[in-house]
Amino acid sequence: MNTIPVNDNPVTVHIDLASGEFNPCMEMQKRNLSSMVMMFSDQKAVEDTLKNEDRFIYQIRYYPFITRNSDMSLGTTMIMPGKIGNEYHMTKGHFHEADNQPEIYHCVTGEGALQMMDLNGEYHSAVWTPGTITHIPPQFAHRVINTGTTPLVFVASFHVAAGHIYGPIESKGFKYIWVEKDGKPVELLNPKWA
Ligand code: PAN
Ligand code: ZN
């Protein structure tokens, strides 16, 4: 991460809604298939895809707004359309490290779904189109799925102090997976939870 400037004055940024590019931007991260192998349920499809290409799945851009006594962060994520086997491209998904940290996700482009699940397996999902905004309460893991045929872009607003934990989702995933069946997105029980 670049050095984060402390700035007590208002800051204005600009987001390109089609691509998720924003200006100014402090950090960018690309996730390719090799960095999220365990997240997809069809491991044979992961292996076969990796033999041909380390597919680009999504791109994250961040800008932290830091004042002397507050912090907020804005992130955009652009998920490419596509599937690994029958399962749609998605973000890795994570819990926040701090147990009192919520987040707001705002879908600006594309079609998809947001899944949320707490440590007891309490599960919720929301279908997304441009303009959908979801409040993710503290202690709910969150992941976005692109079920459309164009890039999906969303804006995330959270505190820098939230922190990210990927382990529990890496090992067991969410309770449901989003797959294409008869040309349509459906939510099926994740075999790891059966
Ligand atoms: C988002 C996510 C971003 C990428 O900024 O970090 O969409 O998803 P993964 O972190 O699951 O790869 C956020 O939820 N921040 O807290
Ligand atoms: Zn988060």
Side-chain angles (χ1 to χ4, degrees):
M1 172 78 106
N2 302 333
T3 310
I4 302 169
V6 174
N7 184 352
D8 288 339
N9 289 312
V11 175
T12 299
V13 300
H14 179 263
I15 294 172
D16 180 79
L17 300 184
S19 67
E21 279 180 43
F22 76 85
N23 224 330
C25 174
M26 286 296 283
E27 194 190 12
M28 289 206 288
Q29 242 175 300
K30 266 190 173 181
R31 297 236 209 270
N32 287 54
L33 182 58
S34 62
S35 68
M36 52 186 301
V37 165
M38 295 313 293
M39 301 300 180
F40 289 97
S41 63
D42 185 343
Q43 286 295 301
K44 168 85 170 60
V46 170
E47 218 175 278
D48 290 347
T49 307
L50 283 174
K51 272 182 205 152
N52 295 320
E53 51 161 349
D54 186 7
R55 193 184 296 171
F56 166 51
I57 310 281
Y58 63 102
Q59 168 121 42
I60 319 165
R61 296 176 168 90
Y62 291 114
Y63 189 93
F65 302 93
I66 311 291
T67 72
R68 271 174 300 178
N69 51 21
S70 72
D71 73 77
M72 284 293 287
S73 190
L74 196 72
T76 64
T77 304
M78 189 273 292
I79 311 174
M80 296 296 286
K83 289 172 288 164
I84 302 296
N86 287 330
E87 193 173 8
Y88 293 103
H89 286 179
M90 59 195 181
T91 58
K92 285 177 82 168
H94 60 269
F95 284 92
H96 288 165
E97 205 171 340
D99 62 9
N100 63 350
Q101 291 294 324
E103 180 155 3
I104 290 175
Y105 273 7
H106 178 180
C107 173
V108 294
T109 298
E111 287 169 26
L114 165 65
Q115 48 185 191
M116 294 159 282
M117 186 180 72
D118 75 8
L119 279 171
N120 301 316
E122 163 89 18
Y123 179 85
H124 298 260
S125 62
V127 172
W128 271 16
T129 54
T132 309
I133 297 171
T134 307
H135 172 249
I136 303 158
Q139 300 179 32
F140 272 84
H142 35 289
R143 162 185 285 165
V144 176
I145 298 124
N146 183 349
T147 58
T149 53
T150 57
L152 181 151
V153 178
F154 67 96
V155 179
S157 183
F158 56 101
H159 288 290
V160 178
H164 298 91
I165 294 179
Y166 292 93
I169 300 299
E170 217 150 37
S171 55
K172 215 161 169 230
F174 283 76
K175 224 172 189 173
Y176 293 88
I177 56 175
W178 282 77
V179 297
E180 185 184 83
K181 206 172 169 209
D182 303 326
K184 288 199 178 124
V186 291
E187 215 174 6
L188 299 182
L189 187 64
N190 182 348
K192 285 185 184 170
W193 283 77

